[in-house]
Amino acid sequence: MSERKLHLGAFIQATGHHIAAWRHPGSQADSGTNIDHYQEVAQTAERGKFDLVFLADSPGIYERGDNEARGRYGRIAHFEPVTLFAALSATTSHIGFVATDSTTYNEPYLLARKFASLDHLSKGRAAWNVVTTGNEAAAGNFGKAEHLAHALRYERAEEFLDVVKGLWDSFDDDAFLRDKTSGVYFDADKLHTLDHQGKHFSVTGPLNISRPPQGYPVIVQAGASEAGRELAARTAEVIFTAWQTLEEAQTFYRDVKGRLAKYGRNPDELKIMPGLSPVIGRTQEEAEARYRELQELIHPAVGISIVQRFFPDVDLSQYDLDGPLPAFATQTNGNTSRLALVSELARRDNLTLRQLYESLAGARGHRVVVGTPASIADEIQAWFENEAADGFNIMPPVLPQSLNEFVDLVIPELQKRGLFRTEYTGKTLRENLGLPRPLSRYAQSGEERLRA
C-alpha cells in the first residue's frame, strides 16, 4: 500500500476570498472576467503541483444589501465555470478543474454533455461540484415563483446524478472503431439508450458524445447538512467542507466516512477537503499585520450585507456594530449547514455584529489561519494526520498574490515534511487523487451475466 499523501485544491474566487480583496494592491481588480488572470492562477497552481482548481458558482447574483453595499462588491461579475475551464485546459497539462453546476436549475442531458465535453477537452481533468443551490434569489431567473424546498432539492439531486451517470455511459469505452477500411465508424451494439422515467426527470438519451476519458468526471460535493452527508456518502468522491476546529472536522470526517460501507464503498473512495484560507507572513508579526490590513478595507455596508442572510427578518443596519447580535434564524431554505456553523461560531465567541462580519469576511465560515509558512504547515499536518482531512481546499485571501506566496513558501515546507508530492504521478484528475475509474453500468451488467 502506498504512503498516504495530502491532496490540495486551489479555490480561485476571482480577486480572492477576502470580501475586500479587490481593493488590495496584490489583487487583479477585474479578475472575474479577465482570462489572462485565470490562466496565470491556474498555471501557478499547477507549478505548485495542486490536484485541482475549483470555482464556485451560482445561477444568479448572490450579493445582498442596498446599492451602497452592492456597489462595493468586487466579485459581482464573473465567468461561467465550464466555459472558463475549457479555455484553461488548453494552457495547462496536469491540474484538474472542478466546476460548480446546479441540479436545481439545470437539465441532466445538457449538464452531462457539458462535463463530458470538458473531460475530453482537458484529457481527463474535469470534475463536477454538485450543488442544489442555496441562493434563493436564483428562482426568479428560471421562471420559478419560489426556491424549491431543501429536502426536495436533495431528492431531485439524487435522481439527477443517476441520470447524468447513465448518460455518460451511453457508449461503451471501446465503441468507436473508426475503421476506414471496413467503413465501420462505431459498433452500434455498444450504444445504449437510457430511457429514464422517474419522479423528476424523463430522459431518453443517448448522449451525443463518447464516454468521458475518466469514465465519469470526478464527483464533488460541498453540502454538510444531513441530506448533504448522505448524498456525499452515496455519490461523492471529493467533499469540500467548512470547519473551525480540529474536533468538529474529526467528527464530520468519521461520520461521513462511516456511512460509505452501506453503499458498498471504501473510505478511500471519498476525499474530504476542508477549506483553509492562509494569510502568510515570513514572521507571525508580518502575517498579523497583513491580516489587519485586509480587515481595515471592509466597508461596514458590505460587512452587514454578508451576514444579513442569517437574519432574514431583521434590518441589521439599525443595530450597533459593536453591540450584541439579534437572534439568528432558526431555519433556512438556503444553506442549512452554513447557518448552523455561523450561529455556533457567534455563540461560542460571543461576537458582536462587527466581529461576526469580520470573522466571515475572509472565508465565509471556513478556517482562516494567520501565520508563517511553518505554522500553517503545522496546522495542515495536524488535521491531515489526525482524521480530520484528506487534504485542503486552499482559499487564497488575495489573488494572485496569496496563491503565489502559498506555492513559493508553504508548498516547499509540506514537501520537505514528505506530506505532499514533488511531481504529478498521473495524467488524469482521478489518477492524481487516487480514485478508481468507474466501469460503465452496462459493462458491469455484462460481467454479471458472464458470472451467471
Side-chain angles (χ1 to χ4, degrees):
M1 181 177 174
S2 61
E3 183 183 1
R4 182 169 173 256
K5 291 290 185 184
L6 182 75
H7 296 289
L8 291 177
F11 187 168
I12 52 174
Q13 176 82 285
T15 58
H17 282 271
H18 194 280
I19 197 66
W22 73 272
R23 301 180 64 191
H24 191 277
S27 74
Q28 178 69 40
D30 67 348
S31 62
T33 51
N34 185 323
I35 184 61
D36 296 331
H37 164 77
Y38 280 111
Q39 286 176 338
E40 176 188 342
V41 167
Q43 289 166 352
T44 299
E46 188 164 82
R47 176 168 63 84
K49 312 303 178 188
F50 275 67
D51 292 84
L52 54 92
V53 290
F54 165 56
L55 204 62
D57 193 56
S58 175
I61 289 177
Y62 226 131
E63 287 72 20
R64 295 170 173 80
D66 56 20
N67 283 346
E68 171 73 5
R70 278 190 166 191
R72 295 177 181 275
Y73 274 101
R75 57 178 72 144
I76 203 161
H78 47 84
F79 290 124
E80 186 279 318
V82 176
T83 308
L84 173 62
F85 286 149
L88 297 184
S89 70
T91 57
T92 55
S93 56
H94 288 89
I95 196 89
F97 300 108
V98 184
T100 299
D101 226 337
S102 174
T103 58
T104 303
Y105 300 108
N106 253 311
E107 289 296 327
Y109 191 94
L110 293 176
L111 187 142
R113 189 183 185 203
K114 279 198 302 184
F115 278 87
S117 296
L118 180 60
D119 207 42
H120 280 285
L121 288 167
S122 64
K123 300 180 181 178
R125 293 184 283 142
W128 171 29
N129 178 39
V130 182
V131 297
T132 67
T133 300
N135 182 1
E136 297 179 62
N141 297 334
F142 297 86
K144 307 293 184 184
E146 60 184 20
H147 196 43
L148 286 181
H150 185 271
L152 186 58
R153 294 203 309 273
Y154 273 92
E155 179 186 282
R156 175 186 165 101
E158 292 214 22
E159 185 179 341
F160 194 112
L161 263 165
D162 288 341
V163 174
V164 167
K165 288 181 177 180
L167 289 168
W168 284 334
D169 288 338
S170 292
F171 290 93
D172 290 349
D173 287 318
D174 60 351
F176 286 86
L177 305 174
R178 300 185 180 94
D179 188 330
K180 293 185 178 181
T181 302
S182 68
V184 177
Y185 189 73
F186 81 102
D187 185 342
D189 290 333
K190 295 183 177 182
L191 172 64
H192 307 281
T193 299
L194 183 64
D195 198 20
H196 173 86
Q197 302 292 327
K199 178 178 179 180
H200 299 282
F201 303 103
S202 175
V203 182
T204 305
L207 202 62
N208 57 349
I209 187 169
S210 54
R211 196 162 190 257
Q214 296 184 102
Y216 305 151
V218 175
I219 301 297
V220 181
Q221 198 191 328
S225 65
E226 177 60 28
R229 294 179 192 215
E230 203 63 26
L231 182 63
R234 189 171 80 85
T235 65
E237 296 169 297
V238 176
I239 184 166
F240 297 148
T241 64
W243 302 108
Q244 289 292 318
T245 68
L246 174 66
E247 293 74 20
E248 290 172 330
Q250 287 173 320
T251 299
F252 177 82
Y253 187 96
R254 292 164 184 165
D255 175 56
V256 177
K257 294 268 188 174
R259 299 179 188 225
L260 268 68
K262 65 182 176 183
Y263 296 110
R265 302 183 67 197
N266 185 298
D268 290 338
E269 294 176 27
L270 175 64
K271 310 299 180 184
I272 296 179
M273 299 173 65
L276 183 72
S277 186
V279 181
I280 306 165
R282 293 183 184 273
T283 65
Q284 185 66 32
E285 293 73 22
E286 182 184 43
E288 290 172 359
R290 287 181 161 198
Y291 185 58
R292 285 195 301 272
E293 179 186 13
L294 275 167
Q295 295 293 74
E296 289 167 1
L297 294 175
I298 306 168
H299 190 279
V302 175
I304 290 171
S305 70
I306 64 176
V307 300
Q308 182 65 66
R309 64 182 170 131
F310 304 112
F311 308 92
D313 300 319
V314 179
D315 180 3
L316 292 179
S317 66
Q318 303 303 307
Y319 278 73
D320 180 359
L321 292 179
D322 299 306
L325 288 163
F328 278 83
T330 56
Q331 58 185 8
T332 177
N333 193 29
N335 190 326
T336 58
S337 58
R338 192 57 52 88
L339 171 62
L341 183 147
V342 170
S343 58
E344 171 58 22
L345 171 67
R347 183 202 62 76
R348 184 179 65 229
D349 297 339
N350 194 29
L351 300 179
T352 65
L353 177 55
R354 188 192 307 274
Q355 289 169 333
L356 178 61
Y357 77 59
E358 286 180 343
S359 70
L360 299 181
R364 302 173 309 285
H366 293 270
R367 184 164 169 74
V368 176
V369 180
V370 182
T372 64
S375 67
I376 290 169
D378 288 342
E379 291 275 335
I380 290 172
Q381 184 170 3
W383 284 43
F384 178 64
E385 292 182 345
N386 288 283
E387 289 193 330
D390 296 307
F392 289 87
N393 208 20
I394 301 300
M395 305 168 67
V398 177
L399 281 173
Q401 177 179 297
S402 301
L403 183 62
N404 289 331
E405 293 169 345
F406 191 90
V407 168
D408 292 337
L409 301 173
V410 181
I411 290 290
E413 184 69 27
L414 295 171
Q415 292 169 332
K416 183 174 69 176
R417 301 180 189 198
L419 295 170
F420 192 60
R421 68 168 67 89
T422 56
E423 294 295 339
Y424 287 103
T425 54
K427 294 182 178 179
T428 70
L429 178 56
R430 284 188 175 279
E431 290 170 343
N432 286 318
L433 288 170
L435 295 171
R437 184 180 188 275
L439 289 171
S440 165
R441 65 184 61 191
Y442 303 105
Q444 291 170 324
S445 298
E447 289 176 359
E448 289 164 3
R449 285 195 296 272
L450 287 173
R451 284 197 296 270

